Amino acid sequence: MAEFEVAIIGSGPAGYVGAIHAAQKGLKTCLIEKGDALGGTCLNVGCIPSKALLHASEIISALEEEGSDWGISAKGMDVNFSKMMHKKQEIIDKLTGGIDYLMKKNKVEKIIGTATFLDAKTLQVGDRVVKAERFIIATGSAPIELPFLPFDEKRILSSTGALSLTSIPKKLIVVGGGVIGLELGSFYKRLGTKVEVVEFLEKIIPEYDEDVSSVYQRILERQGIAFHLGAKVTGGEVHSKGMKVTASTKEGEKTFDADHVLVCIGRKPYAEGLGLDKAGVKVSDRGFVEVDGNFRTSVDSIFAVGDVIGGAMLAHKGSHEAICAIDHFLGKKTKMNYAAVPGVIYSSPEVASVGALEKDLKEKGVSYKVVKFPFTANSRYVAIGGKDPCFVKYLVCKETNKLFGASIIGPHAGELIGEPTLAISCGLTLDKLAHTIHAHPTFSEALHEAALGGISSFLHM
Ligand code: NAI
């Protein structure tokens, strides 16, 4: 008999959540990790450190941008960058230590080392041979490099390097106007860095609706971030004092000088050293592990979840896929509802969306209506001095009054998106949302208004 019923490779949010769930369901489980700490990209060099630093920098921007409106002076404010980075590391250590604790509590065996398949039922991890009935690959993703700008994490930064600089740059070029570039760009902008974003497409955050993307860009521009759209970065050069980046644009070639360039042009599946070929696991042309509806790979005993299988590269999507895979082992039919996976950008304001995009509905010829409610008509937003053209947008089925999709650009959008996510997940109609009492005064009333507007008329507009 194999030593483990489930061996999970990779301890990010997909792997460690899967390990807890499997162990709680009585399966003998091990979690294998090659990094120094559990938690994967999300906890160590992704979601958590970036949110910690964004929070710190928001303290500065709140004082600088809004302080004077409230009679508060930010004069003499001092930023100790190394203390800020130290605090970020303390937060990482606390949370990764928490995962260690959860592994012990749930009797998941932690195995440290690089896992390599010897065959479909056996892994080599350092000196140890690990046999299991089933394996789950949850090895995540890695930042994509531009061939002419290989990451050195000194001048040419991936998100990992940008989260560990030792001083505040004077000027930063961000390649890619996606989620990571805009979060990290916002962080450094608030610390006083001159930030310029060079984006290949004619819009930023392409996976959001046009109106969300354009309003968001306007707000970020007001905050001082400069955008160069329709600009494809084609070259780069490191020199003694910084970087020179070249981009081809409609107006011809442009060059940008900076202390650093941060390249955020997407992430690629990561399965280095796993020996997928030895086990016979099929991968796509782009390197994603191919799985069926139950997350089973081309090999019966091997499953895969999270970023390494593609789709939205989001921690919570990976975690839930792991739960579905484990439940499948137990004969339960827990399904992923990919129509209800929210995405959030943790800038200020936050941007969040769930479900269908308007362009997809148009392409499919689906009959839908758009309801939009501005935060400037929300009393809580006015009470905090909010001035940005933020809004809630619902895409609603004309026949059933159910939500196809929702976008929110506004304060705490990442928290607010939970309500439309639940509505989509449970197939609730706008009537149900409109008849749900929302506390006053809260930002959540903007969601209530959007639901009211969709079935009859807005109250406060
Ligand atoms: P992204 O895919 O969100 O955006 C990359 C952008 O780079 C695109 O707009 C693309 O057009 C542009 N681009 C590509 N090549 C270029 C070139 N040569 N010159 C100029 N622009 C170019 O990628 P990002 O921001 O690196 O994020 C990677 C993944 O991580 C995404 O799937 C994202 O959803 C996920 N993520 C999500 C977070 C969240 O939910 N808050 C946080 C961090 C990552």
Side-chain angles (χ1 to χ4, degrees):
M1 214 182 93
E3 188 184 355
F4 296 101
E5 285 167 290
V6 188
I8 300 181
I9 310 155
S11 70
Y16 89 75
V17 169
I20 295 172
H21 188 63
Q24 286 179 345
K25 296 291 169 195
L27 299 174
K28 188 150 195 291
T29 306
C30 70
L31 182 67
I32 305 162
E33 172 57 56
K34 76 182 175 93
D36 296 333
L38 300 185
T41 299
C42 174
L43 271 83
N44 291 285
V45 288
C47 323
I48 297 299
S50 59
K51 264 81 268 178
L53 294 177
L54 280 161
H55 170 74
S57 66
E58 264 169 38
I59 300 171
I60 304 169
S61 59
L63 277 174
E64 281 182 342
E65 286 177 24
E66 300 167 36
S68 62
D69 289 354
W70 299 95
I72 303 165
S73 163
K75 244 185 267 162
M77 187 163 52
D78 182 44
V79 176
N80 181 336
F81 190 61
S82 64
K83 185 158 186 194
M84 190 183 280
M85 287 300 192
H86 182 75
K87 171 82 179 163
K88 171 212 71 174
Q89 193 55 46
E90 272 179 9
I91 290 165
I92 294 172
D93 294 344
K94 187 172 181 184
L95 287 172
T96 54
I99 297 179
D100 251 291
Y101 160 79
L102 288 171
M103 292 307 115
K104 282 188 200 114
K105 181 179 171 227
N106 288 289
K107 301 190 173 49
V108 173
E109 184 171 338
K110 175 176 96 174
I111 303 175
I112 295 297
T114 301
T116 307
F117 280 105
L118 297 177
D119 60 46
K121 293 270 173 123
T122 320
L123 283 176
Q124 182 81 48
V125 187
D127 298 338
R128 185 163 171 185
V129 170
V130 176
K131 287 198 173 285
E133 285 167 28
R134 291 188 180 97
F135 297 89
I136 298 182
I137 300 168
T139 46
S141 61
I144 297 176
E145 227 171 30
L146 283 167
F148 45 85
L149 286 173
F151 297 129
D152 61 14
E153 305 300 10
K154 291 186 179 82
R155 295 286 182 197
I156 307 171
L157 309 172
S158 70
S159 49
T160 305
L163 289 165
S164 299
L165 289 181
T166 50
S167 60
I168 302 170
K170 285 200 171 56
K171 190 165 172 202
L172 178 70
I173 295 294
V174 178
V175 184
V179 181
I180 300 183
L182 298 179
E183 286 185 0
L184 292 174
S186 292
F187 166 64
Y188 280 109
K189 177 72 203 70
R190 292 173 195 157
L191 294 184
T193 304
K194 183 167 189 247
V195 175
E196 293 191 57
V197 177
V198 184
E199 165 58 49
F200 169 66
L201 300 173
E202 292 294 342
K203 59 182 271 196
I204 59 167
I205 51 165
E207 69 281 17
Y208 283 79
D209 277 347
E210 294 282 343
D211 45 356
V212 176
S213 151
S214 61
V215 165
Y216 186 46
Q217 185 183 331
R218 265 180 16 233
I219 296 173
L220 294 179
E221 278 168 344
R222 183 191 56 68
Q223 293 173 5
I225 296 180
F227 290 93
H228 305 275
L229 302 184
K232 184 180 180 189
V233 171
T234 49
E237 219 177 88
V238 177
H239 52 79
S240 59
K241 292 200 179 122
M243 286 288 313
K244 192 187 277 295
V245 174
T246 322
S248 85
T249 72
K250 276 181 294 206
E251 298 88 43
E253 197 176 87
K254 274 191 186 165
T255 53
F256 304 90
D257 289 306
D259 300 321
H260 306 275
V261 59
L262 165 61
V263 180
C264 307
I265 55 164
R267 297 179 63 86
K268 59 184 179 188
Y270 182 85
E272 223 172 272
L274 252 187
L276 293 180
D277 45 343
K278 263 193 215 146
V281 173
K282 275 198 193 141
V283 296
S284 72
D285 295 346
R286 294 174 57 212
F288 291 107
V289 175
E290 291 180 352
V291 293
D292 67 12
N294 292 315
F295 304 99
R296 191 190 295 271
T297 69
S298 52
V299 178
D300 263 8
S301 55
I302 304 177
F303 292 71
V305 295
D307 287 6
V308 78
I309 66 166
M313 290 192 170
L314 298 168
H316 43 283
K317 171 230 172 222
S319 303
H320 202 74
E321 285 175 344
I323 286 170
C324 292
I326 303 287
D327 281 356
H328 170 69
F329 301 166
L330 301 165
K332 277 174 72 181
K333 289 190 170 55
T334 312
K335 286 282 170 215
M336 273 299 286
N337 181 358
Y338 287 104
V341 178
V344 182
I345 309 176
Y346 297 86
S347 49
S348 182
E350 289 185 352
V351 185
S353 82
V354 63
L357 290 179
E358 199 169 349
K359 83 169 165 36
D360 297 332
L361 297 179
K362 275 190 188 137
E363 262 165 37
K364 285 186 194 146
V366 175
S367 143
Y368 69 96
K369 60 186 170 191
V370 180
V371 194
K372 255 179 166 180
F373 184 79
F375 273 97
T376 44
N378 169 269
S379 58
R380 180 80 193 281
Y381 191 65
V382 177
I384 64 159
K387 293 177 202 128
D388 284 324
C390 296
F391 58 83
V392 170
K393 175 181 175 184
Y394 279 173
L395 299 171
V396 184
C397 174
K398 273 191 177 163
E399 280 100 55
T400 63
N401 254 348
K402 287 182 183 176
L403 274 182
F404 283 133
S407 304
I408 305 169
I409 173 163
H412 304 287
E415 309 297 331
L416 295 178
I417 201 71
E419 178 169 322
T421 302
L422 184 71
I424 294 176
S425 179
C426 299
L428 301 179
T429 61
L430 284 196
D431 306 68
K432 295 271 185 225
L433 300 179
H435 288 109
T436 299
I437 299 166
H438 292 69
H440 175 75
T442 59
F443 302 123
S444 75
E445 286 174 292
L447 301 173
H448 185 230
E449 287 279 0
L452 279 172
I455 55 165
S456 53
S457 52
F458 301 119
L459 276 172
H460 293 89
M461 207 175 62

